[in-house]
Amino acid sequence: MNTTYNFAFFDEGSKREIRRATLKAIAIPGYQVPFASREMPIGRGWGTGGLQLTLSLIGMKDVLKVIDQGSDESVNAVNIKKLVSNTTGVEVTEHTSKATLIQSRHRIPEVPLTKEQILVLQVPLPEPLRYYEPSETETKKLHAEKEYSGAWLMLFEQIMKYGGMATGADHPVLVHDRYVMAPSPIPRFDNPKMNANEALILLGAGREKKVYAVPPYTKVVSLDFEDYLFQAEIFADKHCRICGQTDVFLDELVDELTDETVYQCNDTSNCLEKLNSVGVK
Amino acid sequence: MTDFEVPVLSVKNLNKQYGPGCLKCRGGESSSLVKNYCQVCGTVYACRNVSFDVFPGEVLGIVGESGSGKSTLMQCLYFDQEVTSGEAYVSDYENGEKNLFQESSQQQRYIRNHIMGKVYQNPLLGLRMNFSSIGNIAEKLIAAGNNHVGMMESRGTELLNKVHIPVHRRKEAPKNFSGGMQQRVQIAKALSNHPPLLLLDEVTTGLDLSVQASVLDLIKSLQRELGISIVLVSHDLGVIRMLADRTLVMLEGKVIEQGLTDQILEDPQQPYTQQLVHSLL
């Protein structure tokens, strides 16, 4: 552990400021709270929002897990894990159920979260209405007046263009019947997991300097139309080629030599746990 | 039958000033003003004590030179700008008992979305140029509480038909359209939620004569067909003569003359109106 830094890299004042913004975010589910995003040893847009939340919350007894698009071992996840454990000395894990603090880039783990856990999501674009209205002043007004026709309009445009809602990720949700929120670019598959989740979900956007939250057991509804209902990605008749699971989010991989398409678990630690539980053949 | 018709829109003592005002200009009543501009504090009195009623199915024309406060008046009525003082009542909202300018911004948005339609002189203000034409119409329908794609699509198509936009171009963005077509999309958008009151701000200015004629023709026939009330601002007396039942003449922010359109055009009383009518080519 590197003791030349204060515990968890930040000075205590910074951590307190971020926690204060976090508390406000929890008090107003789905509302984007501005905060003084710090300079970090990693570039903005590489998870600084999530990292700042993690560092402000982490304590000696926490067990940390970091995921990057479902993987525990990708560069981004490994580096964030290194930074946090180097400046705190906390235990890191790959097992979702063992972790108390999970920082994730664009996935909610397959293993259901519990009320002992906090999920921190990294957010590139926190404003769900940004494409519809470029001005921050205006979008703030729209949120204040609960004027969300723009969010539905964007989905309507997709239906007109592509014949269906075409959000690959980041399908907007209505939180607690009040704020429309960008769920960070998690796949639609993960949207229903946000509804009434037992864990506290925090979302941090470092570049855009916003923090927002979905407190435990909060109602989260994905936006849709009466005749075009929200639908998660379906992997009918597909299963993970490694562990054989079917009801999980699968990556589609194309073998360029054989032109064969194969599917495999996106959540690597869940896949590994599944394999270990059946035992090696 | 009631003795008197109830006005659809009733405006009382509307004032709008840009600037703080000072002792010298005394709320715009001083004779030291240059037109409606105070040389001491730089305040512009754009609308001064404007009062009028619009009755069901009536077309009210407003004429005046540029800078006479016509557009400011329209912007105030559509809540694009805040009034300095004054009252406005709409019979379709709270039985016409509530002053619209005193309502919260959420309520004002409700009124805009449900009771009014507006066509701006500049289509950039009234349309989202990057969204499809049918999406632009859907925006207003969604804002008025619709959530059925099929219904909105058929309503949008029907309206675009009505304003002579070819069906196969309905999914194209208005930025690809000519000025006249954009103006017609705006009209379709404004009409989409059956507003009892339509505000038209210089709709034909800048269009060539044949397109002007077809847009005017369209407005006239839609107004007859749907029985909506229209407030029509123009500096073109030809437009006023063709469409308006009754006309107000504005000069330097004040209504200087009002009456039946024929009366105003055939027997103008005020020197400015006389000059205006006689300069008609």
Side-chain angles (χ1 to χ4, degrees):
Chain A
M1 185 182 157
N2 187 345
T3 48
T4 48
Y5 285 106
N6 190 31
F7 181 80
F9 186 74
F10 281 141
D11 60 287
E12 294 304 311
S14 294
K15 286 198 257 179
R16 204 168 297 139
E17 194 268 341
I18 298 166
R19 284 199 294 258
R20 209 177 288 137
T22 311
L23 279 175
K24 182 171 177 183
I26 296 166
I28 319 172
Y31 172 73
Q32 300 166 47
V33 183
F35 80 111
S37 183
R38 262 83 186 159
E39 284 294 331
M40 300 296 292
I42 57 172
R44 286 197 167 154
W46 291 85
T48 51
L51 187 55
Q52 288 178 73
L53 283 173
T54 303
L55 291 173
S56 76
L57 292 169
I58 202 160
M60 302 278 254
K61 288 180 189 158
D62 271 311
V63 181
L64 177 74
K65 173 182 163 79
V66 182
I67 322 166
D68 177 5
Q69 301 247 347
S71 168
D72 289 85
E73 285 138 16
S74 85
V75 179
N76 194 223
V78 169
N79 283 333
I80 288 175
K81 234 182 299 192
K82 266 192 196 158
L83 176 73
V84 180
S85 69
N86 203 9
T87 54
T88 60
V90 300
E91 188 189 335
V92 291
T93 182
E94 293 192 354
H95 299 289
T96 304
S97 51
K98 269 195 195 159
T100 56
L101 192 57
I102 303 169
Q103 179 174 337
S104 170
R105 172 167 176 260
H106 314 344
R107 271 315 304 278
I108 296 178
E110 303 290 359
V111 178
L113 302 175
T114 66
K115 60 179 194 285
E116 318 295 336
Q117 295 178 312
I118 297 176
L119 175 68
V120 174
L121 290 167
Q122 305 169 192
V123 183
L125 294 170
E127 179 50 70
L129 299 170
R130 183 58 72 233
Y131 175 69
Y132 167 80
E133 174 54 65
S135 154
E136 173 73 9
T137 319
E138 291 303 315
T139 49
K140 274 189 100 77
K141 268 188 224 159
L142 295 175
H143 281 291
E145 295 173 12
K146 206 185 171 190
E147 168 57 48
Y148 289 126
S149 36
W152 268 279
L153 177 61
M154 285 186 275
L155 297 175
F156 181 89
E157 284 283 291
Q158 292 172 1
I159 294 171
M160 286 299 109
K161 260 190 203 152
Y162 311 114
M165 288 191 279
T167 40
D170 216 1
H171 188 100
V173 292
L174 181 63
V175 180
H176 199 53
D177 294 324
R178 178 58 184 86
Y179 286 99
V180 165
M181 179 187 97
S184 89
I186 55 173
R188 273 174 290 144
F189 186 86
D190 285 348
N191 271 19
K193 291 185 196 165
M194 275 198 167
N195 184 36
N197 198 311
E198 286 182 31
L200 168 64
I201 302 174
L202 299 175
L203 300 99
R207 189 184 47 195
E208 304 290 327
K209 305 184 178 70
K210 293 283 172 64
V211 172
Y212 51 108
V214 178
Y217 305 106
T218 303
K219 183 176 166 193
V220 178
V221 182
S222 304
L223 302 190
D224 60 3
F225 293 97
E226 276 167 38
D227 50 344
Y228 282 84
L229 296 174
F230 170 80
Q231 231 177 7
E233 292 88 350
I234 307 165
F235 302 99
D237 312 325
K238 309 280 191 310
H239 58 87
C240 172
R241 64 164 172 171
I242 302 170
C243 70
Q245 287 191 96
T246 50
D247 50 353
V248 292
F249 189 78
L250 298 171
D251 284 335
E252 188 181 271
L253 307 168
V254 180
D255 190 326
E256 283 178 9
L257 288 177
T258 60
D259 243 3
E260 201 183 353
T261 308
V262 288
Y263 293 86
Q264 145 180 350
C265 276
N266 174 267
D267 188 336
T268 52
S269 75
N270 178 51
C271 191
L272 199 62
E273 277 169 20
K274 176 82 184 169
L275 281 177
N276 284 336
S277 71
V278 254
V280 184
K281 280 173 199 166
Chain B
M1 207 183 126
T2 47
D3 293 338
F4 297 101
E5 263 193 302
V6 186
V8 172
L9 170 72
S10 176
V11 176
K12 296 197 174 90
N13 304 321
L14 188 150
N15 282 292
K16 172 71 187 174
Q17 68 185 60
Y18 298 98
C22 63
L23 284 172
K24 198 82 196 294
C25 53
R26 284 174 292 144
E29 298 305 319
S30 163
S31 55
S32 68
L33 292 178
V34 178
K35 287 192 154 191
N36 52 356
Y37 176 78
C38 172
Q39 283 183 305
V40 180
C41 62
T43 300
V44 174
Y45 291 91
C47 295
R48 294 190 273 182
N49 271 325
V50 176
S51 301
F52 61 87
D53 289 331
V54 185
F55 291 93
E58 183 186 43
V59 181
L60 179 73
I62 300 178
V63 286
E65 59 184 7
S66 74
S68 62
K70 309 179 301 275
S71 288
T72 300
L73 174 64
M74 294 295 259
Q75 283 163 8
C76 288
L77 289 178
Y78 203 55
F79 313 114
D80 288 331
Q81 298 213 25
E82 225 170 294
V83 293
T84 308
S85 68
E87 297 163 30
Y89 302 90
V90 164
S91 63
D92 285 87
Y93 180 71
E94 303 277 342
N95 285 323
E97 283 159 7
K98 284 240 170 105
N99 179 7
L100 305 186
F101 298 136
Q102 296 286 330
E103 293 296 84
S104 68
S105 52
Q106 281 101 323
Q107 286 303 319
Q108 292 185 345
R109 208 177 269 279
Y110 173 89
I111 295 163
R112 277 169 68 139
N113 290 339
H114 290 79
I115 300 171
M116 292 182 186
K118 181 168 180 184
V119 180
Y120 293 85
Q121 176 178 2
N122 185 348
L124 274 173
L125 295 172
L127 295 176
R128 299 204 172 261
M129 287 298 171
N130 291 320
F131 286 82
S132 67
S133 305
I134 196 149
N136 269 288
I137 295 171
E139 183 188 12
K140 185 116 185 162
L141 287 168
I142 295 167
N146 282 286
N147 195 7
H148 195 281
V149 175
M151 197 228 88
M152 288 191 280
E153 193 182 358
S154 63
R155 172 96 183 119
T157 312
E158 176 199 326
L159 280 163
L160 288 174
N161 257 332
K162 225 174 227 170
V163 297
H164 311 300
I165 303 282
V167 179
H168 60 271
R169 297 195 75 178
R170 71 189 196 281
K171 290 183 185 173
E172 217 168 304
K175 68 174 176 197
N176 297 352
F177 290 176
S178 72
M181 281 173 88
Q182 290 176 348
Q183 211 58 297
R184 282 180 281 151
V185 175
Q186 255 206 106
I187 293 172
K189 180 178 184 175
L191 287 173
S192 59
N193 55 347
H194 297 289
L197 182 65
L198 192 59
L199 306 173
L200 304 178
D201 191 357
E202 307 263 18
V203 272
T204 55
T205 314
L207 302 180
D208 69 70
L209 283 177
S210 62
V211 178
Q212 231 181 67
S214 74
V215 169
L216 290 177
D217 214 35
L218 174 75
I219 293 170
K220 189 82 193 159
S221 62
L222 289 175
Q223 189 263 334
R224 287 252 171 86
E225 195 181 320
L226 306 171
I228 40 183
S229 310
I230 295 179
V231 181
L232 170 81
V233 161
S234 186
H235 55 238
D236 183 343
L237 285 179
V239 173
I240 294 290
R241 187 198 292 276
M242 178 176 161
L243 288 178
D245 303 314
R246 224 151 43 85
T247 297
L248 306 183
V249 183
M250 281 184 78
L251 181 67
E252 295 165 17
K254 286 181 185 157
V255 176
I256 53 163
E257 193 167 352
Q258 56 179 305
L260 297 174
T261 303
D262 288 345
Q263 204 178 339
I264 299 275
L265 294 178
E266 301 302 327
D267 183 21
Q269 303 293 308
Q270 294 289 327
Y272 169 73
T273 320
Q274 290 168 357
Q275 190 194 345
L276 186 75
V277 171
H278 284 119
S279 51
L280 183 61
L281 298 173

